[in-house]
Amino acid sequence: MLKGQKRWLYIAVPIFFFWFFGQIDKVGISIIQTDPEFLHALGMTGDDKNAKIGLLSFVFTIAYGVSNLFWGFIIDKLGARKTAIAGLFVWTLTMIMSGLANSYEMFLISRIVLGFGEGMMIPVSGKFISNWFNKRELGRAQASWLTGNYLGPAMGAVVLVLVISLLHWQAAFFMLAAFNLLINIPMFIFMTRNTPEEHPRISKEELAFIRQTDDGVKETAVSENKSFAQDYRFWIVWFGMLVCSFLFFGISIWLPTYLIEAKGFEKEGMSSITSLSWLFALGFVLACGFLADKTRRPSLMATILFSLTAVFLSVAIFIPNPILAGLCMGLAMGCQGGVFHLSNMLMVKYSTPETAGRAAGLIGFTNIMGGFSSYIMGWLRDLSGGDFSSSIAMLIFTAILGLAAYLFSIKREAAELRLSPIPLQKIQA
């Protein structure tokens, strides 16, 4: 059954779990910060409580975004496999450190170290995808690991609420450390290699397919000899990712708190809508992976997704029904999951296997905006007495900026499609 398809087992599966557990590590704080015992134990009380909560995500994403730049160069030198293993050990140790924290300052330091350790996730994934998959299957290959990116938090939200309720908030961090140590690290050690040429179980036929080029796409020959940094479309994608990170982290980090404090949900209802929101993101990722390969219009799709994000956020402000408001916030978050997927696909398209680590590092750097988003939203809440309206209005304006940026690449994308139309049999497939 796996004849000629082993790249999906040896690469896509480890990367799926890489992101499945990594995202629970990363965004699990949004669930844990709703636990009163956690807030009291670490001194997150008083009039500046929301700013302190926002600072946790701020320092994490600053470290995460900046370290992406360094990891990108390291990956191009050492390879994705060794880099992934090293990063996994770092963030396993920080999970243990987080569970042992007995002060706000110690926990804050653990978030900084975690951001540094997880900063290699996007460059590692981009490098593996660039080396292991044919250009024509980039959409599906990216979707295979981005599925873990959203399915992990969707399931993790329910699991974390259960663990905190039955045990303690510290147990949640120890559980996450065990997942990395027992599942992720062994997978990268025993299943992956940097390139298909190095893997003993990849056939010559599968290798030939991976390395096959499409002579009908005139852009390919040009892009191979041109640095991604010289292509203005890469910088549109980069700016779009700045906007996407600002929106995605702002919504995802504060969504559980929004549901409980602004809409009056109990923890069970909060975890249900939070999980559903991550499933919305997964749905958008799968749909974008399929449609991007079929239509070859990722820039147009990103433009539409930014438009929908602004609409959903606007509805969330004005609609009185708490369930519908929560679902609209979740759909807005889902749209940005689709943008994140398209951005990573375009990043691989505009770079080469040799430069994919650096290009992905620059894309990963944009996560730094998520820290600003989470902190600014907390600060605005403190200023407005806990109200979310001003924070959501800020997110709407940000979504409009993303929409405006992608408008500049739609025309070029349409022209490329006319030069290299989709084969008829591919449309009918």
Side-chain angles (χ1 to χ4, degrees):
M1 291 178 62
L2 287 174
K3 185 176 181 181
Q5 303 290 328
K6 289 185 178 179
R7 62 194 178 281
W8 296 99
L9 172 64
Y10 294 126
I11 298 299
V13 171
I15 292 180
F16 168 82
F17 284 104
F18 185 49
W19 282 87
F20 183 90
F21 294 119
Q23 279 299 93
I24 301 177
D25 290 352
K26 192 183 301 179
V27 303
I29 189 63
S30 68
I31 300 294
I32 297 171
Q33 73 188 27
T34 66
D35 180 45
E37 189 175 347
F38 167 74
L39 297 176
H40 179 75
L42 298 183
M44 284 179 279
T45 57
D47 294 336
D48 62 345
K49 178 185 76 171
N50 293 301
K52 282 185 175 180
I53 293 173
L55 186 61
L56 294 177
S57 296
F58 175 76
V59 296
F60 167 82
T61 51
I62 294 296
Y64 183 86
V66 172
S67 68
N68 266 267
L69 299 175
F70 299 103
W71 283 119
F73 284 97
I74 292 171
I75 288 168
D76 285 336
K77 296 294 183 181
L78 297 182
R81 181 170 174 262
K82 288 182 180 179
T83 306
I85 294 169
L88 282 164
F89 273 112
V90 171
W91 96 46
T92 300
L93 292 174
T94 59
M95 285 293 101
I96 297 172
M97 180 180 175
S98 297
L100 296 175
N102 56 13
S103 69
Y104 179 74
E105 291 74 20
M106 183 177 177
F107 192 83
L108 201 66
I109 293 172
S110 74
R111 300 305 292 177
I112 296 172
V113 180
L114 177 64
F116 177 79
E118 291 194 353
M120 50 77 194
M121 292 180 72
I122 293 177
V124 161
S125 301
K127 189 75 169 180
F128 270 126
I129 296 298
S130 181
N131 282 335
W132 274 84
F133 293 90
N134 184 276
K135 290 285 185 181
R136 285 294 188 184
E137 57 185 5
L138 292 181
R140 282 164 291 164
Q142 293 283 8
S144 69
W145 62 266
L146 285 170
T147 299
N149 188 42
Y150 302 111
L151 188 59
M155 298 179 64
V158 177
V159 172
L160 288 173
V161 168
L162 185 63
V163 169
I164 293 171
S165 299
L166 295 178
L167 299 172
H168 194 267
W169 63 266
Q170 292 171 314
F173 289 105
F174 297 143
M175 177 190 69
L176 294 172
F179 285 149
N180 285 328
L181 189 62
L182 300 177
I183 298 176
N184 274 339
I185 292 175
M187 276 192 165
F188 276 94
I189 291 175
F190 296 110
M191 294 179 67
T192 68
R193 296 294 185 272
N194 288 325
T195 65
E197 286 86 353
E198 298 174 19
H199 205 294
R201 296 187 180 180
I202 298 300
S203 66
K204 293 181 179 179
E205 292 77 15
E206 184 169 1
L207 178 61
F209 172 77
I210 293 170
R211 298 296 177 232
Q212 178 183 347
T213 59
D214 187 350
D215 295 330
V217 182
K218 298 182 179 180
E219 179 70 12
T220 301
V222 176
S223 62
E224 291 295 329
N225 297 317
K226 182 180 179 181
S227 169
F228 65 86
Q230 296 174 290
D231 193 330
Y232 77 92
R233 294 170 301 170
F234 174 84
W235 296 108
I236 290 176
V237 174
W238 186 81
F239 179 80
M241 270 298 293
L242 283 177
V243 174
C244 177
S245 297
F246 193 90
L247 290 166
F248 191 85
F249 276 93
I251 299 172
S252 63
I253 293 298
W254 283 102
L255 180 60
T257 305
Y258 167 81
L259 294 171
I260 289 176
E261 297 186 8
K263 296 302 176 182
F265 283 89
E266 297 295 331
K267 282 200 172 183
E268 293 76 12
M270 174 274 290
S271 65
S272 297
I273 291 187
T274 299
S275 294
L276 187 59
S277 300
W278 286 99
L279 291 177
F280 285 153
L282 174 59
F284 277 102
V285 165
L286 296 176
C288 287
F290 175 78
L291 292 174
D293 284 343
K294 289 292 184 180
T295 67
R296 287 163 44 194
R297 297 299 306 271
S299 295
L300 176 61
M301 291 169 62
T303 306
I304 294 171
L305 289 174
F306 275 121
S307 302
L308 289 173
T309 299
V311 171
F312 286 131
L313 290 173
S314 299
V315 173
I317 289 181
F318 295 109
I319 197 165
N321 187 292
I323 295 178
L324 292 179
L327 291 176
C328 283
M329 291 290 287
L331 286 168
M333 191 176 99
C335 287
Q336 291 309 300
V339 173
F340 180 75
H341 167 60
L342 294 170
S343 299
N344 280 276
M345 191 189 77
L346 288 168
M347 177 276 298
V348 175
K349 176 182 177 181
Y350 298 144
S351 63
T352 66
E354 293 73 27
T355 61
R358 278 164 281 174
L362 282 168
I363 291 293
F365 175 77
T366 62
N367 282 276
I368 198 171
M369 294 303 294
F372 286 100
S373 177
S374 61
Y375 182 75
I376 292 171
M377 288 185 71
W379 176 70
L380 287 174
R381 285 198 68 212
D382 286 333
L383 286 181
S384 58
D387 186 68
F388 273 93
S389 297
S390 57
S391 299
I392 297 176
M394 174 187 67
L395 297 178
I396 294 171
F397 175 75
T398 306
I400 294 172
L401 292 179
L403 162 65
Y406 266 97
L407 289 175
F408 289 96
S409 61
I410 291 178
K411 185 176 180 180
R412 174 76 175 271
E413 185 177 75
E416 288 178 354
L417 191 59
R418 286 194 296 270
L419 289 173
S420 178
I422 304 172
L424 181 61
Q425 63 270 24
K426 202 167 181 63
I427 297 175
Q428 294 173 340

